[in-house]
Amino acid sequence: MKRLFLITAALVASLFTLQAQTWVRFGTDNTSSGLPSDEVYDLEFDGQGTLWAATNKGVALLKGGVWTMLQGMQALEGKAANQLFLDKNKNMWLAANEEGLAMRSPQGEWTFYTTESGDLEGGFTQDILEDEKGGYWVADGATLTYIKGAERTHYHPASNPFTTFTTLAIDKAGKVWAGCESGVYYFEGTEWKVLEESNTFGSIQDITTREGDVWIASQNGLQHFDGTRWSTQTTENGLPDNFLTTVMFDAKGRLWVGTDGFGVCHQEGGKWLLIGENEGLHAKDIFDITFSSEGKAHLATHKTGVAYQTESNTWALYSGDGLVGNVCKDIVLSNGGNFWVATTSGISHYDATGKKWKSFTQANGGLIGLNTRRLYLDAKEQLWAAFYDGGVSVYNPTMEMWTNHGVGEGKLPVGTVTDVWVDAEGIAWVTTFSGGLAKYANNKWETIKQEQGLPTNSLLGITPGADGSLWLSSVAGAIQYKGGKFTALTKSEHKLPDDNVRNILFASDGSMYICTNTGLQVRNLTTNEYTNYGASNGFISGYVNHVAFDAKGNRWISCWTEGFYLMTKEGVFYKIGTTEGFTPTDVYMARFNEKGELYVCTNDGIFILKNPDSLVQKLTSTAATLPSHSLIVAPNPASSYTELQGANASEEVRLTTLDGVLLRKIQCDAQGSLRIGLEGITPGTYVLVVGSKAYRLLVSE
C-alpha cells in the first residue's frame, strides 16, 4: 500500500446483552461475526488459506467463509492497521501507524517494535518488507529503518522532516525503493538517493517490481522503469484515471492497477481492461490488490469492505460493520432467523446460519437510493424496497441482483416513496409523498392522484384490509381505497387524534389501530366505536409509528422521541425503558418472528428480545406506568392556550423549543394546575418541562 491515509483508531464492540432483560442489539459497531469495518487498507494470504484484512478497526481473518477478529495484539487490539506483510518464515507483520510494528509468528507469538522500545524513530509506520539478507526495511514517517537481528539503522533521506514514506519495494538487483508524497528514493547499499525523474510523478501510492523492471502507482499515472529509461501511462493510454492507488502482478503475469474512484483494471494484450460497475464490481476506491492460490483477485476498498472474484468470475463483497446504518425503519423476518433491515443508509441482510451480514447501498449494491422506508417480501421471495430518495428497488434472490424503478414517463411519479405492498395477483402498490398512489402491473406503472379522487397526494403508508380494500396513511387522515373509490377517516369527522396518520394496523379481532402525530386511535369499523390514546389522557405526547401484536393479545407500540410501550390486552400501559435494558428514544417498527421473538427497529440499530413474555411478566408485576400518571395537558394540540393539571403544588413549568431554548417559565398554583397562554408562539412542536419530566406540546394555528 500504498496510499497515505491519516486514519484514527476505533473501538470494536461485540454482541452484548443489556441490563435487566436479555436484549440483543445489532448495530453498525456490532456484527456478531463478520468483517469489523468496510474501511479495508490491505489484504494478505498467509499460505494456509486464511485471508488477513487490515482495517481501521483492527485485523480480521477470513477462514472457511467466516470472519474473526485477530486476538492477542495487546495495545494494537482494535486499532487501525495500515499494512500486512508475510515474510519467508511465514511470520505476519503489521504496520500500525502511531502504534508501530508488530510481528506474529506461525506459533502465535507476538513481537512488538515501537518508538518507545527504541526500534523505530518516525512514529508513523506505513510499510515493511524483507530483503535477501533476512533484514527488514520499515517505512516509518520521515524515517527509513533497517532491522536485522539486534541491529537498528535509521535513515533520514528527505530534507523535509514532515515527509511520510508510505511504500517500499526491492528489485531483482537488491535495490530498495521507497515512495512518499513528494517522490521516489532508492538505496543501493550505502545511502539513500532521490530519483530525479520522480519530481513529475506526484504523490507515490505503491511500488512493485518484476524481473528488472519497476512499476509505480502515482498521482499522475503509472510510472514504469524498464532498466534503462522511465515512461508514463495515463488516461491517454487507456487507463480509467490518472490517480492510481496500487499496482500488482497476478500469477499469469498480468499487470493490475487500482484507482481512486474507478475500480480496477488489468492489462491484456497491451490494452487496459476496466473492471467496474458494468462488470459487477460495486467498489470504486481501491486500496490494495492480492490474489488467492486459485488466482482470484481480492480487493481492499474504501467504505465497501473486501471485494473478491467468485469461482464463476463474478464479483461479490464481504461488507463490514454489521448493519449499514443504525437508523432502522423496517425489518422483514424469514424462517431460520434470517432477516432484512431497511436503514437510512441502505439495506442489510443477516444470514443466521453463517452469522454474516451483507449490506447493499448505491455504491456497492446497486440500490436506487439510500433512505429506505419500507420493505416487503412477495410470494416469489422477491424483496421490494421503498426509498424516500429515489424510488423502488426489487431484489431477485435467484439472480442475486436488484432491479430499480425510478421517476419518469411510464414510471414512478416522484422519487419520494414511503411504502410498498404486493397483492396476491403480483401487482405492486406504492405510496409516495406528493406523488399520490402508484401501482405496477404488466411491466408498467400507473399513477392515481387527486385528479382521480384521492384526498391528498402526500401518502405515508399502505395496509391491506380484510375486505380487499387498501388503507392509506396520509396527511389528510386514514384513507380507504375500495372499488375504485376513496373515503377518509379524519380528525374533524371521525375524531382522529390528528389528520397526520403515520401508520394503520389491524389486530386479529379486526379492530383498526390508527397511528398519528399526536396519539393512537383504536376503532371498530363495524360499530364505529373508538378510543383515543394521546397526550390529553397521559399516554404519549409524541408520534406513534407502529403497533405490533403478540399471540396473547398484547400490543407493542413504537413511538418517535418517546420510545417503546407495552399495552396489555386489558388496556394497561407500561413504558419500556432503561430499567428494562432498552435505551433508544426513537422507535420505528416492531415485529415478531415465528418463534415469538421480538425485533425492534430503532435509531440505534435492531434490538431483539428473545423472550417477550418474561418482560410482560416483569412489567405487569409493577404499577402501571401511564394510567397512574395523573398529569394532563389539554388541549394538545393547542392554539391560544393549554392547561396543565395534576402537577405538584407550586411546581415550576418551563416551555422550551425542541433544542432547549426557554420561552416561558411559570409556576403552578397550590392545586398543581396551570393555564399557559400561547400568544406569540409560532405553530410547531415544543416541550413542556414539569419537574423532571418532559411532555411534547403541539401548537397549531
Side-chain angles (χ1 to χ4, degrees):
M1 191 170 160
K2 349 272 196 229
R3 190 172 176 188
L4 176 60
F5 283 90
L6 301 179
I7 49 181
T8 59
L11 295 178
V12 178
S14 60
L15 275 177
F16 63 91
T17 57
L18 296 172
Q19 58 174 332
Q21 298 298 318
T22 310
W23 289 94
V24 175
R25 175 182 170 271
F26 285 107
T28 59
D29 56 349
N30 176 322
T31 67
S32 175
S33 174
L35 186 64
S37 172
D38 279 340
E39 188 83 350
V40 182
Y41 300 118
D42 196 25
L43 299 170
E44 187 79 59
F45 283 95
D46 64 3
Q48 306 296 318
T50 299
L51 178 65
W52 293 52
T55 82
N56 67 328
K57 294 183 179 179
V59 177
L61 310 179
L62 178 67
K63 188 171 185 178
V66 177
W67 288 98
T68 57
M69 291 301 298
L70 181 61
Q71 304 296 322
M73 298 169 64
Q74 299 181 18
L76 297 181
E77 200 89 23
K79 301 290 183 67
N82 197 55
Q83 178 72 13
L84 299 165
F85 173 72
L86 186 70
D87 69 18
K88 286 177 264 186
N89 295 319
K90 306 300 181 184
N91 299 306
M92 186 67 77
W93 294 77
L94 285 66
N97 305 296
E98 296 93 340
E99 304 298 331
L101 189 66
M103 185 269 286
R104 186 178 186 268
S105 71
Q107 294 75 36
E109 298 172 346
W110 286 93
T111 305
F112 299 94
Y113 303 82
T114 65
T115 53
E116 291 78 10
S117 67
D119 297 301
L120 302 175
E121 267 191 7
F124 199 66
T125 310
Q126 292 284 293
D127 200 5
I128 181 172
L129 59 77
E130 183 181 13
D131 66 13
E132 293 298 322
K133 302 174 183 178
Y136 298 90
W137 283 98
V138 183
D140 182 34
T143 305
L144 294 168
T145 296
Y146 185 69
I147 299 174
K148 186 178 181 184
E151 175 190 349
R152 308 288 185 267
T153 307
H154 306 291
Y155 298 87
H156 307 90
S159 57
N160 184 352
F162 299 105
T163 296
T164 301
F165 287 99
T166 57
T167 183
L168 298 166
I170 296 180
D171 66 19
K172 186 177 180 180
K175 182 187 293 186
V176 185
W177 299 81
C180 62
E181 71 274 18
S182 60
V184 178
Y185 291 76
Y186 61 93
F187 183 83
E188 292 184 290
T190 56
E191 62 178 330
W192 283 92
K193 298 179 181 179
V194 65
L195 178 69
E196 298 296 339
E197 292 89 341
S198 69
N199 59 5
T200 62
F201 293 176
S203 177
I204 306 304
Q205 307 298 309
D206 195 17
I207 305 175
T208 193
T209 63
R210 183 177 175 85
E211 301 300 335
D213 290 15
V214 180
W215 300 83
I216 299 176
S218 79
Q219 182 182 358
N220 296 326
L222 180 65
Q223 317 298 333
H224 175 218
F225 181 64
D226 63 5
T228 304
R229 64 183 182 88
W230 287 92
S231 61
T232 302
Q233 293 192 49
T234 64
T235 53
E236 295 181 359
N237 305 98
L239 287 171
D241 189 43
N242 287 337
F243 198 128
L244 305 182
T245 56
T246 186
V247 57
M248 178 69 67
F249 283 91
D250 64 17
K252 296 179 181 179
R254 295 181 301 180
L255 183 64
W256 292 63
V257 295
T259 72
D260 182 32
F262 293 88
V264 297
C265 59
H266 64 81
Q267 220 169 31
E268 194 86 57
K271 295 183 178 180
W272 289 104
L273 301 179
L274 176 65
I275 302 173
E277 288 189 348
N278 291 336
E279 292 72 35
L281 176 62
H282 297 288
K284 297 179 179 180
D285 299 334
I286 311 301
F287 287 163
D288 185 43
I289 307 171
T290 193
F291 298 91
S292 67
S293 58
E294 295 82 15
K296 301 300 182 183
H298 288 63
L299 313 177
T301 78
H302 173 55
K303 297 297 186 185
T304 48
V306 176
Y308 64 99
Q309 281 181 307
T310 65
E311 291 184 2
S312 58
N313 286 324
T314 58
W315 288 90
L317 282 172
Y318 289 114
S319 181
D321 283 346
L323 283 172
V324 70
N326 271 344
V327 181
C328 303
K329 293 297 187 74
D330 196 8
I331 187 168
V332 169
L333 307 172
S334 56
N335 293 332
N338 302 328
F339 55 88
W340 293 86
V341 182
T343 83
T344 54
S345 304
I347 297 174
S348 293
H349 179 258
Y350 183 69
D351 176 4
T353 302
K355 295 184 178 180
K356 293 189 296 185
W357 286 95
K358 184 174 183 179
S359 294
F360 302 89
T361 65
Q362 287 174 308
N364 75 355
L367 300 181
I368 200 168
L370 287 178
N371 189 355
T372 324
R373 295 292 294 267
R374 290 288 187 272
L375 300 173
Y376 186 80
L377 201 61
D378 68 18
K380 297 179 181 178
E381 296 295 312
Q382 295 183 124
L383 184 75
W384 294 71
F387 293 90
Y388 201 71
D389 59 347
V392 174
S393 293
V394 186
Y395 184 72
N396 184 315
T398 303
M399 301 292 293
E400 295 187 351
M401 63 180 295
W402 293 91
T403 301
N404 292 327
H405 299 269
V407 180
E409 185 176 351
K411 299 179 181 179
L412 291 168
V414 294
T416 49
V417 178
T418 54
D419 202 356
V420 60
W421 176 74
V422 182
D423 64 24
E425 297 178 359
I427 297 173
W429 297 84
V430 165
T431 54
T432 73
F433 196 84
S434 79
L437 178 67
K439 70 174 183 177
Y440 184 70
N442 300 318
N443 297 317
K444 186 174 71 173
W445 286 97
E446 175 186 343
T447 302
I448 304 170
K449 305 180 80 171
Q450 285 182 278
E451 292 83 350
Q452 288 80 43
L454 183 63
T456 176
N457 287 334
S458 294
L459 308 178
L460 299 172
I462 184 168
T463 306
D467 60 355
S469 63
L470 295 179
W471 285 90
L472 310 176
S473 307
S474 81
V475 299
I479 303 170
Q480 185 185 38
Y481 182 51
K482 186 177 181 181
K485 296 182 178 180
F486 295 96
T487 56
L489 302 178
T490 65
K491 178 181 178 180
S492 60
E493 296 294 327
H494 304 89
K495 308 302 181 185
L496 296 186
D498 195 296
D499 278 332
N500 285 281
V501 176
R502 303 177 71 81
N503 215 332
I504 300 170
L505 294 309
F506 289 95
S508 58
D509 62 3
S511 55
M512 182 165 66
Y513 287 67
I514 304 173
C515 306
T516 80
N517 278 4
T518 55
L520 173 69
Q521 182 177 98
V522 182
R523 175 176 286 268
N524 185 315
L525 289 176
T526 303
T527 65
N528 280 324
E529 295 176 332
Y530 67 89
T531 302
N532 284 348
Y533 302 94
S536 61
N537 58 16
F539 167 42
I540 305 167
S541 56
Y543 297 78
V544 183
N545 282 324
H546 185 264
V547 181
F549 309 94
D550 66 22
K552 295 184 179 180
N554 299 307
R555 289 141 288 186
W556 302 74
I557 304 175
S558 303
C559 304
W560 183 64
T561 74
E562 300 293 340
F564 201 35
Y565 292 84
L566 170 70
M567 179 182 180
T568 67
K569 58 185 177 182
E570 294 81 17
V572 182
F573 290 91
Y574 298 88
K575 177 70 179 288
I576 303 169
T578 54
T579 303
E580 292 73 41
F582 188 83
T583 55
T585 56
D586 297 346
V587 183
Y588 299 100
M589 180 81 64
R591 299 192 191 278
F592 289 91
N593 67 6
E594 75 280 1
K595 296 180 181 179
E597 298 168 339
L598 181 62
Y599 290 67
V600 187
C601 299
T602 80
N603 63 321
D604 192 31
I606 297 293
F607 282 70
I608 304 171
L609 188 59
K610 297 293 185 179
N611 187 5
D613 286 346
S614 66
L615 180 56
V616 174
Q617 292 170 9
K618 175 185 180 295
L619 290 171
T620 54
S621 66
T622 62
T625 305
L626 297 170
S628 62
H629 174 55
S630 58
L631 193 143
I632 296 175
V633 179
N636 189 5
S639 54
S640 59
Y641 75 94
T642 190
E643 292 183 339
L644 185 147
Q645 299 177 13
N648 296 324
S650 304
E651 190 163 29
E652 182 183 271
V653 176
R654 290 177 291 134
L655 176 66
T656 75
T657 63
L658 288 176
D659 55 4
V661 177
L662 180 66
L663 302 176
R664 302 272 197 280
K665 184 163 70 172
I666 322 169
Q667 196 171 40
C668 292
D669 61 22
Q671 287 72 44
S673 299
L674 177 66
R675 181 184 175 97
I676 305 171
L678 301 175
E679 298 83 3
I681 302 295
T682 305
T685 304
Y686 298 88
V687 177
L688 275 177
V689 182
V690 185
S692 61
K693 298 182 181 296
Y695 304 88
R696 188 169 295 271
L697 174 66
L698 299 177
V699 178
S700 58
E701 295 180 351

